[in-house]
C-alpha cells in the first residue's frame, strides 16, 4: 500500500527556531507538492516540483521558507526563522503526472506545526 | 488567477441526498477534482472531471459544466461517516491544483 510519508507528525517550537519538515513521495511519482492549511485560508499551495526541479514556489514566503528535493525520495520544507503565524498543518502530496492532466495528488498525513 | 467558490457549511440527515456546488473562474482549464477531508486527516481523492457531464462512482457522483464554470458533488444515501470537508480543486494547464476553501458537511441521524 504505497503512501506519502511525512515527518515529524507534530512539531512545537519557539519563535525564531528553524523547522525542517520532510516528505517521502510515493515511489515512481515525479511531482511533489507542499501545501499549508489553516482554518482561515484553507489549503494553500506553497511549492511544487516535477522531476525534482522546482516549477512554482510563488506561494511561498521566500525570506524564510525554502523547499528542496535532494533526491527523488526526499522533499524538504524549511522555515528559518519560524514565526507564530507559521502555525498550520503542512501537507506534502505526490502525483504520477499522467498525460492529459489527470494529475491526481496523493496527500501525506501532514505535519502539525505550532510556533509559540 | 483562479477563483473557486463553494458553500462553507451544509447539513443533512442520514439516508438523504446532498449536492455540494462549486463555481470557478480560470483560464486554460485542465480538470476539476473533488477531495474529501475528515477532521484531522489528509485530503483523499474522490473524483476527477475534465469533460462535461456526470461521473458516477458508487454513492458519489460529480458533474462538470465547463461553459458555466460549474461543478457539483452529489452524495447519495448519506452515512454518518460522510461528515467531512469536501474540497473542490481546479487545475490549469502547467500548474498545480488550486483548492477552494472547502464545504464542511455535517450528517446527523
Amino acid at each position: 500500500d504505497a503512501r506519502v510519508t511525512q515527518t515529524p507528525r507534530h512539531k512545537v517550537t519557539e519563535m525564531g527556531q528553524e523547522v525542517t519538515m520532510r516528505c517521502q513521495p510515493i515511489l515512481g511519482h515525479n511531482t511533489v507538492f507542499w501545501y499549508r492549511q489553516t482554518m482561515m485560508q484553507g489549503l494553500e499551495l506553497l511549492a511544487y516540483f516535477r522531476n525534482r526541479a522546482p516549477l512554482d514556489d510563488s506561494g511561498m514566503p521566500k525570506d524564510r521558507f525554502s523547499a528542496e528535493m535532494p533526491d527523488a525520495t526526499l522533499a524538504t520544507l524549511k522555515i528559518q526563522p519560524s514565526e507564530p503565524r507559521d502555525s498550520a498543518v503542512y501537507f506534502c502530496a505526490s502525483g504520477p503526472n499522467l498525460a492529459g492532466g489527470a494529475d491526481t495528488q496523493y496527500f501525506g498525513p501532514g505535519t502539525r506545526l505550532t510556533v509559540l | 488567477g483562479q477563483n473557486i467558490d463553494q458553500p462553507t457549511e451544509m447539513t443533512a440527515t442520514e439516508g438523504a441526498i446532498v449536492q455540494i456546488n462549486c463555481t470557478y473562474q480560470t483560464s486554460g482549464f485542465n480538470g476539476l477534482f473533488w477531495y474529501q477531508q475528515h477532521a484531522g486527516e489528509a485530503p483523499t481523492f474522490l473524483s476527477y472531471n475534465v469533460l462535461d457531464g456526470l461521473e458516477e462512482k458508487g454513492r458519489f457522483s460529480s458533474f462538470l459544466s465547463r461553459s458555466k464554470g460549474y461543478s457539483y458533488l452529489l452524495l447519495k444515501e448519506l452515512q454518518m461517516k460522510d461528515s467531512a470537508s469536501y474540497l473542490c480543486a481546479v487545475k490549469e494547464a502547467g500548474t498545480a491544483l488550486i483548492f477552494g476553501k472547502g464545504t464542511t458537511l455535517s450528517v446527523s441521524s
Side-chain angles (χ1 to χ4, degrees):
Chain A
D1 185 22
R3 298 184 183 191
V4 176
T5 59
Q6 289 185 246
T7 56
R9 295 292 308 277
H10 301 273
K11 177 72 176 179
V12 180
T13 191
E14 293 187 345
M15 183 173 61
Q17 296 298 305
E18 177 178 302
V19 175
T20 299
M21 291 168 271
R22 294 177 174 80
C23 167
Q24 181 172 17
I26 293 172
L27 189 64
H29 284 186
N30 65 348
T31 54
V32 174
F33 309 82
W34 282 104
Y35 290 90
R36 174 172 62 186
Q37 188 173 40
T38 61
M39 291 290 292
M40 292 297 294
Q41 299 298 326
L43 203 57
E44 301 174 282
L45 177 69
L46 294 175
Y48 87 103
F49 297 78
R50 181 175 296 141
N51 296 322
R52 297 176 55 201
L55 289 190
D56 184 356
D57 60 2
S58 59
M60 200 166 66
K62 303 289 192 310
D63 57 337
R64 299 184 300 108
F65 284 59
S66 62
E68 296 179 347
M69 280 201 74
D71 61 60
T73 64
L74 177 64
T76 62
L77 179 67
K78 291 186 180 180
I79 309 174
Q80 169 61 21
S82 58
E83 298 181 0
R85 59 179 168 154
D86 301 329
S87 297
V89 180
Y90 290 81
F91 286 106
C92 173
S94 71
N97 192 31
L98 298 174
D103 205 3
T104 302
Q105 296 178 22
Y106 298 87
F107 283 76
T111 295
R112 183 174 295 276
L113 174 65
T114 302
V115 183
L116 303 174
Chain B
Q2 294 166 331
N3 189 23
I4 302 172
D5 289 314
Q6 48 182 132
T8 304
E9 294 180 334
M10 297 184 72
T11 59
T13 54
E14 270 188 305
I17 299 173
V18 71
Q19 179 175 310
I20 303 174
N21 296 323
C22 171
T23 58
Y24 62 90
Q25 295 174 320
T26 187
S27 56
F29 176 83
N30 202 23
L32 186 141
F33 294 74
W34 283 96
Y35 279 76
Q36 179 190 59
Q37 185 177 23
H38 284 101
E41 298 183 9
T44 55
F45 170 77
L46 284 179
S47 68
Y48 168 71
N49 295 69
V50 69
L51 300 177
D52 290 351
L54 189 68
E55 295 280 343
E56 297 187 76
K57 191 185 296 184
R59 294 189 299 113
F60 293 6
S61 303
S62 57
F63 172 83
L64 175 67
S65 168
R66 289 171 297 171
S67 62
K68 295 181 180 178
Y70 168 68
S71 173
Y72 66 73
L73 181 69
L74 192 71
L75 293 76
K76 302 176 185 176
E77 301 169 17
L78 279 175
Q79 302 175 10
M80 298 292 285
K81 67 178 182 178
D82 297 329
S83 294
S85 182
Y86 292 86
L87 306 170
C88 172
V90 173
K91 189 175 190 306
E92 291 183 342
T95 70
L97 289 180
I98 304 299
F99 284 82
K101 294 191 176 180
T103 298
T104 300
L105 173 66
S106 300
V107 180
S108 59
S109 57

